[in-house]
Amino acid sequence: MKRLTTILLTLCMTLGLCAQTAREEIKANKFLSASNYLDYDNYPATKALTPAPKGYEPYLMNHYGRHGSRWLTSENSYLNPLETLRKAKEQGKLTATGEDVLRQVEEIYKTSIKRTGDLSSVGERQHHGIGKRMVQNFPEIFKKEGVHIDARSTVVIRCILSMVAECEELAAANPTATFHNDASESLQYYLNQPRTDIIKKAREKSRELRHEKEREFFKNSKSERLMGVLFNDAQWVNDSLKGGAPLVYQLFDVASNMQSHEYDLDLYPIFTEDEIYYQWRMRNIRWYLDYAASPQTGSVLPFSQANLLRDIIQVADTTTQTGAVLRFGHEVCVMPLACLLELGNCGAKVDDLEKLDEQWRNYKIFPMACNIQLVFYRPVNGKGDILVKALLNEREVTLPVKTKQYPYYKWKDLRKYYQDKLEWFEEKQKESASN
């Protein structure tokens, strides 16, 4: 008994040492601070997948994935900091470091002309890698003779090209596979669902809370150090740049998204570790309020993907032949879907936003090319329950029902759990409409 107690204490201590805070994770890998701009390949899954239970084989890949890395979606995301730096240069206010930052922002802006929002070569590479690993991880599906792969995308070009890149790998691995690729406004109702009234009201509340947090953030952003690095006139910074906090925020967005390209540009060195963490922390709160199961907004925002969940269930219910349904869209779909499915701790409900990053970290959910893979397994002899396991960014995660063989769960249990959630939301919408 004493020996067992010692072993358990040692194990607990080891697990405690292995558990890292968000600050520690970002210190070890600065790219995580980019939130939704994180390059998928800068946060690779390394743990081997658990083999299928004895007598079971995978037969269905039920998937939703985000497009790969891209240019920033608005020209102003580049022009706003660029024009500030140009103005400072004209007035002789830039330091040598400020001049170098201006040069880098100029260079990245030039590449973005007529390309804002476009898929980059990094984004294309990400999806080729994901497609290749799908084949490696699930050859029973993707190498099956004549397997049918149904791939669907929103109408946004970067999503369509991401779909193409992934399907190219699947086709190369199995020349006998047949494909149906589609991108249409008719698919938008579930691939990028319009907001219902109850979701709109919750977003109005999240916007109020987020703006309140952002005002607090800018007030306490402590931008003086970086302003002193970039500019030679503190009074000019106070008079012309409102202390510099908005510029720091803008520059951090540009710095974060530089990993979406293969250029020799890097603005991260101008920020300290504390500044990098602080910038990420505000964005973490922002994304949580806008898309997650935040109790501050009634925990309803993940239901913005209710139609997508219904489609996933319908595909699972009607698919009998080995195959794959691949859907391609955006992070504003993947994130709430992951929260709605309660993958791992994505569905966490955190009352104290100051402690949010102890339980919920956005970079674990929605890097560029993030994806959810629900893999369905059936007994080879035809006798037994259908099982499912979930991969979030190619990592096995827990699901919100009980199981005796993690990471495998009985689909009938999971299906009922999700149907009950959807029915609860339907009642919630009816109540909201009647008030």
Side-chain angles (χ1 to χ4, degrees):
M1 185 67 183
K2 183 177 180 181
R3 175 177 168 77
L4 177 60
T5 302
T6 302
I7 292 173
L8 289 173
L9 286 172
T10 303
L11 179 60
C12 289
M13 290 174 65
T14 302
L15 291 173
L17 289 171
C18 291
Q20 287 186 303
T21 66
R23 184 188 287 271
E24 289 168 340
E25 287 185 336
I26 290 171
K27 181 179 180 180
N29 182 358
K30 65 184 179 183
F31 296 112
L32 301 180
S33 66
S35 298
N36 58 317
Y37 300 143
L38 171 62
D39 173 4
Y40 191 84
D41 294 330
N42 278 335
Y43 187 46
T46 56
K47 188 176 180 180
L49 299 183
T50 306
K54 186 177 181 180
Y56 275 82
E57 64 177 2
Y59 74 98
L60 171 63
M61 168 70 75
N62 215 344
H63 157 283
Y64 190 98
R66 181 195 184 191
H67 59 77
S69 285
R70 54 163 170 76
W71 276 266
L72 295 172
T73 55
S74 169
E75 187 177 29
N76 285 334
S77 296
Y78 299 104
L79 281 180
N80 287 341
L82 184 56
E83 289 174 352
T84 297
L85 294 167
R86 284 172 174 171
K87 176 183 174 182
K89 180 178 174 64
E90 290 171 1
Q91 298 182 26
K93 303 300 182 181
L94 288 182
T95 63
T97 300
E99 293 270 5
D100 183 63
V101 170
L102 171 58
R103 175 190 64 79
Q104 292 199 58
V105 178
E106 287 270 16
E107 285 190 38
I108 197 67
Y109 168 66
K110 287 175 184 176
T111 73
S112 76
I113 295 173
K114 296 187 178 180
R115 299 226 64 170
T116 50
D118 283 358
L119 189 74
S120 69
S121 59
V122 171
E124 187 179 19
R125 180 242 301 156
Q126 291 159 353
H127 280 283
H128 275 286
I130 293 168
K132 186 175 294 185
R133 289 187 296 274
M134 278 184 175
V135 176
Q136 293 169 350
N137 291 332
F138 307 105
E140 299 91 343
I141 296 175
F142 293 104
K143 285 197 172 185
K144 185 176 177 62
E145 182 82 14
V147 65
H148 182 67
I149 297 170
D150 189 344
R152 314 161 181 179
S153 171
T154 66
V155 294
V156 178
I157 293 174
R158 61 181 174 270
C159 301
I160 296 170
L161 292 177
S162 296
M163 173 178 69
V164 169
E166 210 155 296
C167 287
E168 283 177 345
E169 286 295 334
L170 302 179
N174 185 354
T176 72
T178 62
F179 291 83
H180 174 70
N181 296 97
D182 201 359
S184 167
E185 288 288 350
S186 68
L187 306 176
Q188 292 290 97
Y189 77 95
Y190 71 91
L191 288 180
N192 194 3
Q193 180 180 338
R195 292 172 186 164
T196 60
D197 287 341
I198 193 170
I199 297 300
K200 288 178 181 177
K201 290 177 183 177
R203 280 302 303 275
E204 288 173 4
K205 178 64 174 176
S206 76
R207 193 177 301 113
E208 292 174 9
L209 293 169
R210 174 161 51 82
H211 288 169
E212 180 183 324
K213 281 291 179 182
E214 286 171 352
R215 285 191 293 270
E216 179 184 330
F217 166 76
F218 284 127
K219 182 179 179 181
N220 300 313
S221 66
K222 300 178 182 178
S223 54
E224 295 88 355
R225 187 210 64 83
L226 182 53
M227 291 300 95
V229 170
L230 301 179
F231 305 102
N232 57 29
D233 188 335
Q235 189 59 51
W236 182 87
V237 169
N238 287 329
D239 295 342
S240 304
L241 306 183
K242 299 179 181 179
L247 176 61
V248 176
Y249 192 92
Q250 294 162 7
L251 285 174
F252 194 79
D253 271 354
V254 176
S256 296
N257 198 54
M258 281 180 169
Q259 61 188 289
S260 291
H261 306 282
E262 296 175 301
Y263 309 123
D264 188 22
L265 299 170
D266 184 8
L267 287 181
Y268 266 115
I270 68 173
F271 300 95
T272 65
E273 290 177 356
D274 283 346
E275 289 165 348
I276 289 171
Y277 169 72
Y278 191 74
Q279 290 287 328
W280 168 79
R281 186 171 172 272
M282 180 60 233
R283 288 163 174 81
N284 193 52
I285 292 173
R286 170 191 165 192
W287 282 100
Y288 183 73
L289 287 173
D290 281 351
Y291 293 99
S294 55
Q296 296 83 355
T297 55
S299 301
V300 298
L301 286 169
F303 288 93
S304 65
Q305 304 310 308
N307 288 347
L308 182 50
L309 176 53
R310 291 189 184 98
D311 185 71
I312 288 170
I313 293 172
Q314 189 269 336
V315 166
D317 286 348
T318 58
T319 299
T320 57
Q321 300 297 316
T322 299
V325 174
L326 311 179
R327 308 166 185 84
F328 294 85
H330 309 268
E331 80 268 47
V332 294
C333 303
V334 175
M335 171 166 280
L337 178 62
C339 298
L340 182 59
L341 294 173
E342 298 178 52
L343 304 183
N345 65 349
C346 292
K349 298 177 181 180
V350 183
D351 292 308
D352 187 353
L353 294 175
E354 295 303 309
K355 297 181 179 179
L356 177 63
D357 63 22
E358 294 176 9
Q359 300 182 53
W360 194 92
R361 301 170 194 176
N362 60 18
Y363 52 77
K364 293 180 180 288
I365 306 173
F366 70 160
M368 295 288 189
C370 58
N371 57 93
I372 295 169
Q373 300 177 20
L374 298 177
V375 189
F376 289 74
Y377 293 73
R378 61 187 169 197
V380 176
N381 63 8
K383 299 178 181 179
D385 294 301
I386 298 295
L387 303 180
V388 60
K389 78 171 173 181
L391 305 183
L392 175 59
N393 301 322
E394 301 176 73
R395 296 164 169 83
E396 292 172 342
V397 288
T398 57
L399 289 164
V401 294
K402 293 181 179 179
T403 183
K404 294 181 179 179
Q405 46 187 342
Y406 173 82
Y408 297 93
Y409 296 79
K410 292 181 181 179
W411 170 237
K412 65 181 181 182
D413 295 342
L414 194 63
R415 185 187 187 282
K416 182 181 186 307
Y417 183 87
Y418 290 148
Q419 287 285 23
D420 288 346
K421 286 188 74 168
L422 290 171
E423 289 174 13
W424 174 86
F425 182 63
E426 285 297 322
E427 290 301 316
K428 194 85 171 173
Q429 289 195 115
K430 289 177 185 177
E431 292 173 11
S432 177
S434 63
N435 291 335

